[in-house]
Amino acid sequence: MNAATQTGLSKRGLVMSASASRWRRIGAVLGQGFLFSVTSLSTLAVFFIFYFIAKDAIPFFQLEGFQEFFTSTRWYPSGHPAEFGTLAIFFGTGLVTLGAVLVAVPLGVAAAVCLSDVLPFNARQIVKPVIEILAAIPSVAYGFFALVVFAPLLQNKGGIVLSVGAWLILAPVLALVVVVLSDLISDRCSDLMKDTVRWTAILVLGGGALYAMTVLGHRLSGIEIMSGANALNVSIILGIMALPTVVSVSEDALQAAGRELREGSYALGATRAETILKTIIPASVSGILAAVILGVMRAIGETMVVWMASGNAARIPEPWYNMLEPVRTLTATIAGDMGEADHVTGSSRFHVLFAMALCLLAFSFIMNLASESIVRRSRKKLGK
Amino acid sequence: MRLETRKLLDRAFSGAGLIAIGVMALVLVIILAPIVSKGTGAFVFRGTIEHRKVMFDQWGRGNPEKFDAEKEEVSAARQPVYDMLSRFEADLDEMPRSDRRPYKKPFRELEKALAGLLGPAPGERTPVLIRQQYGATRWDRAQIKLDEVLYTQDWDYSNPDALGVLVKTPRKEAFENTSLEPLFGYLEEHVEEMLRPRMTFYWQFLTDTSKDSHIFGGIGPEVLGTIYLTIGAMIFAIPMGVIAAIYLCEYAKEGRVIGFLRTCISTLAGVPSIVFGLFGLAFFLNTIHVSDSKSVLAGSLTLSLLILPTVIRASEESILSVPKAYKEAALSLGAGRWHTVLTVILPAALPGILTGVVISMGRAAGETAPIIFTAAVSVGRPLLPSQALSQPTPALPWNIYNLCTEHEAVDEIRHVQYGMVFTLVALVLLLNVFAIVMRAKISKKLRG
């Protein structure tokens, strides 16, 4: 919501009466000037950040050029000669972010829908603090959990964890798919055959699904994970960290869709699920998109979890989507390498980290602009 | 589609939402449970006589007379062990050289394992490292050490397709038919008498300085450092944030400039935390040299930039939620604009602003990345407030990272790591719970 437009007073502006003394006028102007300068000082910080990161990043590109940085996967900053290919690191960042989004978005949007449309007010008051606490837990505590609790679990019981996870996610989905499919199949039959066809379809499809699940579960439980510090571990934890952002922003978007839309849809005989899926979510899709963007930003910018639990191996996994291999991310590289590069200020090794930070910064800036413009446009569309 | 299927889909949809929320709650429990249950283990545990020895020697805590009496009893219980060892050594000397050989290495290993459990043997010279001057100080560690005395552990890599398998063999086997064989039975039976585990409440964990790189002692300097950094960050962030919020809510006329300022603020909120750390290093330390080395000051400044957007937003929201009637009433009484802000709006918005401030305090206390290059070191003494301007400090978040990844005895000091994480999480959550309760009260007041 736009801050100042709500207070009608400040929009019209308060005009000082003509009888006010000159000193009061000057005081008012000076006071406002002071407030404005403090405010702009705090926003000036963004420029300072851009300037000082870029100032130390540019020497790297002057020394080493652009080509190796963006196209090579060989990251040997302390080698002779040093190699600064960051492609694998960019890839690792992308991979864990993608994983985090896959975890956070379905869960987060479902939870947001539940919060805004399903739960009664009282229950919402209980759930909100859960989300707030999830958001408040320091990232290093998440990292500690990922490293000390989750990684050993994956390493020792990885296959079982994977197959249990697959069952938990797929079993309800498949059950639903079977029921709906068999319903659709039986719809075309004559009334007499309907029930028979339906039950046969349920049995056949259900049996097939169960068999497929068992095979998959068996396959998964045979997997041995060499290191618990891998992309999967980090993705899950990052997804959890991004959840609160996704939930609260998309809940705001869902709420903003308004009662009229919902009531109109219910009046046409739609169920709650149909109302939400076909009316509310399309109406608030831009807000949800903004939530996803903010979640992505959270996952990309996170440092401690990836540094502690991603394994920090600067290479592209084989095959590229293999989440069970260690990866390395931009943030972890900056945090981890600066300790060694710190002493040799001026060398490429120092500046390459600033170059990475500049990429991160540019990316988060673009994402932020994108989410802002999406929100602004959707607000216009909804007439608010 | 039939109506019943539609209903089923509808229920499944609601169910999915409920499951999502259930998963979130479950995740919260799963993450917090080990941290809380094992974290309290740093404060409340069954401490052995060795722990009491550490406390007495290093910090002068404990009643000397009682302690001496207990030490007597313990050494009486331990005497048979050392008797058996020396008898075996005498036996070894009598043996012909060739018979002696197979016992030599296992015997030395046994002595080492025993020193891990009970500390150095009586009469031995005191080792230099503090960690070698004492046995197992906690009962849970003592049981692991006892296991190491009773069994040798080996990794079996014979199957090249699988991970190595741990194989344990009783040490007893190495000393079969010698005078040392009864030792193992004696140890197993009398270990409690030798170590005297007793429930200990070690609250000084919060205030003690650590000894021998966190193997003994507490986390006092880290807690203090975190408090310094948090307070420092708030000192810079609160005035700037609140002033900016007042300006944006009460004075700013919507337009290009203000829209631009808002974009800047939301950009600042999206900057990755590690970039703040680099910025702090490049600007505060390398460019304007607020201090010669990393320092609490530089870290606080960096952190304050990080939480500034949060403070601004929270303050803005709470200023906006002050009923308009308050302001109109004040203005109609002839109060000036500035006067109204100071005497009417700010006091009414204060609880809300405080809530935001408390939440961002939690954020500042838990952030790690920004202080890595600007303020945190891995070991250090507790700082005096006067040193905060120029000296780096240990801090909880950074030391958690350090202790559980780079420490030489990662597995030995799990309880310290858990204790640290627990302390940090408890600190942050307490702040948040405080804020949540306060906000609930405000919203009730505003509604009622």
Side-chain angles (χ1 to χ4, degrees):
Chain A
M1 241 142 267
N2 218 325
T5 42
Q6 286 189 340
T7 52
L9 270 175
S10 49
K11 200 176 177 190
R12 263 176 278 133
L14 201 63
V15 185
M16 203 166 263
S17 78
S19 61
S21 77
R22 179 186 292 162
W23 288 115
R24 263 190 90 177
R25 277 166 190 281
I26 293 175
V29 169
L30 281 182
Q32 275 210 42
F34 169 71
L35 290 182
F36 178 74
S37 57
V38 169
T39 310
S40 46
L41 194 69
S42 56
T43 53
L44 217 65
V46 177
F47 287 95
F48 270 62
I49 290 174
F50 263 103
Y51 175 72
F52 280 96
I53 298 292
K55 198 180 120 206
D56 272 323
I58 289 167
F60 172 77
F61 294 116
Q62 285 171 343
L63 285 169
E64 307 281 335
F66 289 93
Q67 206 206 342
E68 187 191 25
F69 186 76
F70 287 112
T71 56
S72 159
T73 59
R74 296 173 58 79
W75 172 254
Y76 298 106
S78 56
H80 293 283
E83 293 181 70
F84 299 104
T86 55
L87 197 59
I89 298 177
F90 273 98
F91 183 84
T93 307
L95 187 68
V96 295
T97 306
L98 181 72
V101 168
L102 289 181
V103 173
V105 170
L107 261 181
V109 174
V113 166
C114 190
L115 270 179
S116 83
D117 281 85
V118 179
L119 284 181
F121 182 76
N122 287 340
R124 216 180 300 165
Q125 296 306 96
I126 302 170
V127 175
K128 278 271 167 89
V130 170
I131 300 172
E132 268 160 16
I133 291 175
L134 267 183
I137 294 177
S139 58
V140 72
Y142 277 112
F144 180 78
F145 177 83
L147 179 70
V148 173
V149 183
F150 199 38
L153 182 74
L154 276 182
Q155 199 161 333
N156 300 329
K157 307 225 160 60
I160 299 165
V161 170
L162 286 183
S163 82
V164 168
W167 268 98
L168 285 181
I169 296 169
L170 286 180
V173 175
L174 280 182
L176 209 62
V177 168
V178 165
V179 172
V180 172
L181 269 184
S182 52
D183 184 83
L184 288 180
I185 292 170
S186 66
D187 238 11
R188 301 180 175 205
C189 306
S190 64
D191 278 351
L192 276 174
M193 299 276 288
K194 224 169 197 173
D195 272 347
T196 340
V197 171
R198 186 158 177 240
W199 285 109
T200 344
I202 285 186
L203 280 180
V204 171
L205 289 174
L210 204 65
Y211 177 72
M213 282 295 306
T214 322
V215 170
L216 182 72
H218 198 72
R219 282 257 176 91
L220 284 177
S221 65
I223 291 179
E224 267 196 5
I225 299 176
M226 286 302 170
S227 159
N230 56 31
L232 178 72
N233 181 344
V234 169
S235 292
I236 292 176
I237 304 289
L238 284 185
I240 292 168
M241 294 178 74
L243 253 184
T245 319
V246 175
V247 174
S248 57
V249 179
S250 40
E251 198 217 339
D252 280 348
L254 290 171
Q255 292 275 7
R259 275 186 90 90
E260 298 85 355
L261 272 180
R262 290 179 170 82
E263 280 162 3
S265 171
Y266 286 137
L268 290 174
T271 62
R272 180 152 65 197
E274 288 159 356
T275 305
I276 293 168
L277 284 179
K278 293 182 184 158
T279 323
I280 308 297
I281 289 186
S284 50
V285 71
S286 47
I288 292 174
L289 201 63
V292 174
I293 290 178
L294 289 177
V296 167
M297 277 164 71
R298 179 98 213 254
I300 286 184
E302 174 48 44
T303 311
M304 294 318 286
V305 174
V306 285
W307 189 14
M308 289 164 93
S310 71
N312 290 328
R315 59 192 201 84
I316 295 179
E318 287 277 329
W320 65 269
Y321 50 82
N322 187 353
M323 299 283 272
L324 298 176
E325 299 232 343
V327 292
R328 192 184 183 100
T329 68
L330 289 170
T331 49
T333 309
I334 297 172
D337 279 23
M338 190 47 103
E340 289 150 46
D342 207 2
H343 309 292
V344 281
T345 309
S347 75
S348 310
R349 188 164 180 204
F350 177 81
H351 293 303
V352 72
L353 300 177
F354 277 87
M356 288 177 170
L358 188 64
C359 295
L360 272 177
L361 195 56
F363 191 74
S364 72
F365 181 63
I366 292 167
M367 292 293 250
N368 186 51
L369 285 188
S371 95
E372 261 196 5
S373 79
I374 287 172
V375 169
R376 205 176 302 135
R377 205 176 304 156
S378 76
R379 204 173 278 147
K380 229 177 245 168
K381 203 170 77 187
L382 286 170
K384 296 206 173 181
Chain B
M1 219 184 274
R2 301 178 196 204
L3 186 62
E4 49 179 299
T5 316
R6 280 177 64 202
K7 272 187 184 160
L8 183 78
L9 275 177
D10 186 43
R11 287 222 190 97
F13 185 77
S14 305
L18 287 174
I19 288 173
I21 286 186
V23 167
M24 277 166 59
L26 193 70
V27 161
L28 189 65
V29 171
I30 290 175
I31 287 177
L32 286 185
I35 290 175
V36 171
S37 71
K38 294 198 180 160
T40 45
F43 297 91
V44 183
F45 53 92
R46 296 183 75 188
T48 62
I49 178 82
E50 299 294 324
H51 180 257
R52 300 193 275 284
K53 258 191 218 167
V54 174
M55 287 292 113
F56 190 80
D57 293 350
Q58 305 288 334
W59 281 279
R61 291 185 193 126
N63 180 347
E65 287 154 35
K66 256 191 183 162
F67 179 59
D68 279 339
E70 205 180 17
K71 257 198 324 204
E72 293 278 302
E73 288 169 38
V74 166
S75 64
R78 289 179 184 187
Q79 202 48 50
V81 173
Y82 295 115
D83 286 346
M84 273 185 254
L85 286 177
S86 53
R87 194 176 328 132
F88 180 71
E89 255 185 318
D91 285 353
L92 267 189
D93 284 339
E94 281 169 25
M95 274 183 213
R97 209 154 239 258
S98 55
D99 289 356
R100 216 184 290 169
R101 233 227 207 106
Y103 293 117
K104 228 173 182 177
K105 207 179 144 214
F107 185 64
R108 210 164 296 137
E109 280 174 3
L110 173 69
E111 276 190 317
K112 215 172 145 198
L114 259 181
L117 178 68
L118 301 175
E124 220 171 73
R125 220 188 308 147
T126 320
V128 184
L129 283 176
I130 302 179
R131 72 188 80 166
Q132 285 158 6
Q133 291 171 13
Y134 302 93
T137 54
R138 302 163 56 96
W139 185 234
D140 47 351
R141 291 300 309 168
Q143 275 159 324
I144 295 168
K145 294 281 177 196
L146 178 67
D147 199 66
E148 279 171 22
V149 175
L150 297 179
Y151 301 95
T152 51
Q153 301 185 338
D154 262 314
W155 289 93
D156 177 18
Y157 293 108
S158 54
N159 180 0
D161 296 331
L163 299 173
V165 184
L166 187 68
V167 185
K168 281 205 220 171
T169 39
R171 257 183 224 280
K172 211 174 170 179
E173 283 174 11
F175 299 99
E176 244 166 2
N177 305 322
T178 64
S179 58
L180 209 55
E181 209 185 334
L183 173 86
F184 298 96
Y186 180 84
L187 270 176
E188 225 172 343
E189 249 170 64
H190 297 273
V191 67
E192 285 211 33
E193 282 165 48
M194 288 188 280
L195 285 167
R196 300 271 169 145
R198 199 194 293 158
M199 265 334 241
T200 312
F201 178 45
Y202 180 38
W203 63 268
Q204 291 103 330
F205 181 73
L206 279 182
T207 53
D208 275 349
T209 328
S210 60
K211 298 265 159 141
D212 194 2
S213 63
H214 279 105
I215 290 182
F216 301 109
I219 54 172
E222 286 80 10
V223 174
L224 197 66
T226 304
I227 292 174
Y228 282 153
L229 282 169
T230 313
I231 292 178
M234 297 332 280
I235 289 177
F236 296 113
I238 293 175
M240 281 185 90
V242 174
I243 289 177
I246 291 175
Y247 180 76
L248 288 175
C249 290
E250 296 294 330
Y251 289 89
K253 295 188 187 75
E254 284 306 300
R256 284 255 168 94
V257 179
I258 300 305
F260 176 70
L261 288 187
R262 281 184 200 286
T263 306
C264 282
I265 292 171
S266 73
T267 308
L268 194 63
V271 172
S273 54
I274 187 74
V275 176
F276 277 106
L278 277 192
F279 169 70
L281 173 71
F283 181 63
F284 293 124
L285 290 177
N286 290 349
T287 306
I288 60 171
H289 299 287
V290 293
S291 56
D292 292 334
S293 65
K294 299 179 188 179
S295 70
V296 177
L297 178 64
S300 303
L301 285 167
T302 313
L303 280 176
S304 72
L305 281 185
L306 178 90
I307 55 175
L308 195 59
T310 327
V311 176
I312 293 180
R313 265 186 208 154
S315 312
E316 252 189 285
E317 247 165 57
S318 85
I319 288 175
L320 285 180
S321 71
V322 174
K324 243 196 317 197
Y326 286 24
K327 195 159 116 185
E328 280 157 7
L331 290 173
S332 70
L333 287 175
R337 205 172 183 187
W338 182 234
H339 199 66
T340 311
V341 168
L342 272 189
T343 56
V344 177
I345 294 177
L346 265 192
L350 200 61
I353 295 178
L354 267 179
T355 311
V357 163
V358 169
I359 285 178
S360 43
M361 265 175 97
R363 177 114 197 263
E367 275 295 341
T368 320
I371 60 171
I372 300 174
F373 316 127
T374 52
V377 285
S378 41
V379 271
R381 311 265 98 203
L383 286 190
L384 296 172
S386 57
Q387 295 169 312
L389 290 181
S390 58
Q391 303 269 314
T393 177
L396 274 179
W398 170 241
N399 281 66
I400 290 169
Y401 168 77
N402 232 345
L403 281 199
C404 62
T405 56
E406 293 180 353
H407 198 275
E408 59 223 290
V410 175
D411 290 325
E412 297 270 316
I413 53 160
R414 278 279 179 248
H415 56 279
V416 182
Q417 300 162 9
Y418 271 109
M420 251 185 201
V421 177
F422 176 64
T423 311
L424 181 66
V425 170
L427 181 80
V428 171
L429 289 195
L430 277 181
L431 285 173
N432 271 272
V433 167
F434 178 66
I436 289 172
V437 170
M438 198 153 74
R439 195 172 41 208
K441 273 197 179 148
I442 301 166
S443 70
K444 212 173 259 173
K445 211 163 108 192
L446 283 181
R447 236 188 296 145

